[in-house]
Each structure stands twice: as C-alpha cells, then as structure tokens.
Amino acid sequence: NAGVMQNPRHLVRRRGQEARLRCSPMKGHSHVYWYRQLPEEGLKFMVYLQKENIIDESGMPKERFSAEFPKEGPSILRIQQVVRGDSAAYFCASSPTGTGTNQPQHFGDGTRLSIL
Amino acid sequence: AQSVTQLDSHVSVSEGTPVLLRCNYSSSYSPSLFWYVQHPNKGLQLLLKYTSAATLVKGINGFEAEFKKSETSFHLTKPSAHMSDAAEYFCVVSDQGGSQGNLIFGKGTKLSVKP
C-alpha cells in the first residue's frame, strides 16, 4: 500500500548539469502533478500529466524544463543546464483515474534539489 | 482568477490551547478547498477538504474547518493543540472552472506549539 514515491530524496548538481527527478504514483492512480516549492513559499503548480499525455503545463518554465509520464515506468521531471535558481523542493502528487477537481491529490515526500 | 491568502505566516500556541489558522480565498467558481499539513522534510498530508457539501468539515487529528461563503473564508481550527501538531499548514483552492490539475496554494502558516 505504498504512497507516492519520489527519488532521489536529495539531489546535488553543478551548474550546467542535468537533473532527473522521478515519481511513481500511488497504485491505481494515472494522474500525476508536479509542484515546486521555493524557500519560505507555498507550492507552485508546474505540470499535470496523464499516462503518455501532458494535460496542463501552464506552470512549467518555457525553457530547460520538461516532463513525461510514459506508459510504463515513473513520471520524470527533467531540468537541463541547471542554474542556482532551480534549487528548490520538487513535489509530485497523484490522483485516481477519472478524478474531478474535488478529488484530493496525494503527495510524495519530495526531492530536494541543490545546485552548486 | 483564483487565489488563497493565509493571513498569518507564523502562529504560536501553548499545548492544550485552541488553534486557529486563517485562510481567505478568491474564486470565480464554486471552489473546492483543502488544508494540507507539511512536517519538516516531508511531503504534504491532506487534513480535510470542502467540496460543496457540509460547510463544517471535520478532518484528521481533531482538525476542522468551516466554509463561510459570505466571508470567503476557510479557517482551520482545533480545540486543543498537541506538540505533534507543530508543522506548516497550507490552505489550497482548486477551481472547478479551471484546469483539473491546478491547485493554488497559500504561502503557508508555521504552527509552533509550546509545552
């Protein structure tokens, strides 16, 4: 009965490297959401995916960020050519198939990304 | 556009005394509202949700919240604070007229509980 699993929990990258964050949703959930939390701030929505489809990416920066949720395997948030400002906690959430907006999202423990 | 305002960035109470965390929202449509709690270095746990049913919503760990449309408020309360309640609390709105995925978070209220 595992919840939303994110790995790694902590990730350190140097400027210019790539960061890959993984998220496995709860069993039976096919909707995945990514959020970013900057220090002293609430979470900001980035992207919403269903299996093999991006539904809403209105919160994603236009460059260097991408997300996918393949038919098999976890969802991946990819950040290319990282910069210091990318340092944040990145949270993944999932919800059941066919949910409406009143269904709660279940969150993972997050990945803390630090850029040196 | 929808938004959430948490009126206090930090609240401090003594163990055994009541807790009040304030939240006001703005939404063009009939909103769904949530309170989440975040313990240090952990993810967010759902405390309770309002989805246009009863206006007084009971959640886990003795928390409850009341939806007041006339005041556009959704304050979180607990009659008696426990040390384990020390955490950060987020008020969240999901606008049914908007994207299914778009939860709007408040900036959070850090609750400290003194012995």
Side-chain angles (χ1 to χ4, degrees):
Chain A
N1 193 24
V4 177
M5 303 299 292
Q6 289 187 248
N7 69 81
R9 291 294 309 277
H10 301 275
L11 181 61
V12 180
R13 286 286 178 266
R14 296 189 180 280
R15 282 179 293 171
Q17 291 184 321
E18 178 180 286
R20 281 183 178 242
L21 288 62
R22 295 175 188 78
C23 170
S24 296
M26 284 181 71
K27 188 177 180 180
H29 288 193
S30 60
H31 297 220
V32 165
Y33 315 80
W34 285 94
Y35 295 83
R36 176 165 61 177
Q37 184 179 32
L38 295 170
E40 306 300 321
E41 291 193 16
L43 278 70
K44 294 282 195 295
F45 168 77
M46 298 181 76
V47 63
Y48 162 38
L49 310 103
Q50 293 182 25
K51 283 284 186 182
E52 300 184 277
N53 289 305
I54 296 175
I55 306 302
D56 180 354
E57 56 181 349
S58 59
M60 286 279 269
K62 294 278 187 282
E63 297 175 349
R64 302 188 297 109
F65 284 71
S66 62
E68 63 177 11
F69 188 17
K71 188 176 180 181
E72 301 291 337
S75 175
I76 306 287
L77 179 67
R78 182 179 175 211
I79 311 172
Q80 295 178 290
Q81 298 175 313
V82 296
V83 300
R84 287 252 171 89
D86 296 334
S87 295
Y90 292 82
F91 288 94
C92 171
S94 72
S95 63
T97 303
T99 184
T101 56
N102 61 356
Q103 291 294 322
Q105 297 176 12
H106 298 264
F107 285 79
D109 284 347
T111 294
R112 271 86 185 158
L113 176 64
S114 298
I115 308 303
L116 302 179
Chain B
Q2 56 272 33
S3 66
V4 174
T5 301
Q6 290 184 244
L7 296 156
D8 306 293
S9 59
H10 192 195
V11 169
S12 182
V13 301
S14 297
E15 191 175 19
T17 64
V19 176
L20 170 63
L21 305 183
R22 297 182 293 166
C23 172
N24 286 97
Y25 71 91
S26 169
S27 177
S28 305
Y29 302 90
S30 179
S32 294
L33 292 157
F34 309 83
W35 275 98
Y36 282 86
V37 60
Q38 184 181 29
H39 287 92
N41 296 316
K42 301 289 282 184
L44 283 82
Q45 181 184 19
L46 179 69
L47 280 178
L48 50 81
K49 65 175 182 178
Y50 166 77
T51 56
S52 73
T55 55
L56 182 62
V57 182
K58 293 190 184 298
I60 62 171
N61 300 338
F63 284 94
E64 62 182 40
E66 186 172 6
F67 174 72
K68 291 187 176 179
K69 187 175 181 179
S70 60
E71 299 177 9
T72 60
S73 69
F74 190 57
H75 302 333
L76 182 71
T77 60
K78 183 173 180 177
S80 175
H82 192 272
M83 295 296 292
S84 61
D85 294 328
E88 188 155 21
Y89 292 79
F90 292 95
C91 183
V92 181
V93 64
S94 174
D95 195 322
Q96 294 188 7
S99 161
Q100 282 196 2
N102 204 354
L103 292 184
I104 308 296
F105 281 76
K107 291 195 172 183
T109 298
K110 286 185 181 169
L111 176 65
S112 300
V113 181
K114 297 175 288 188

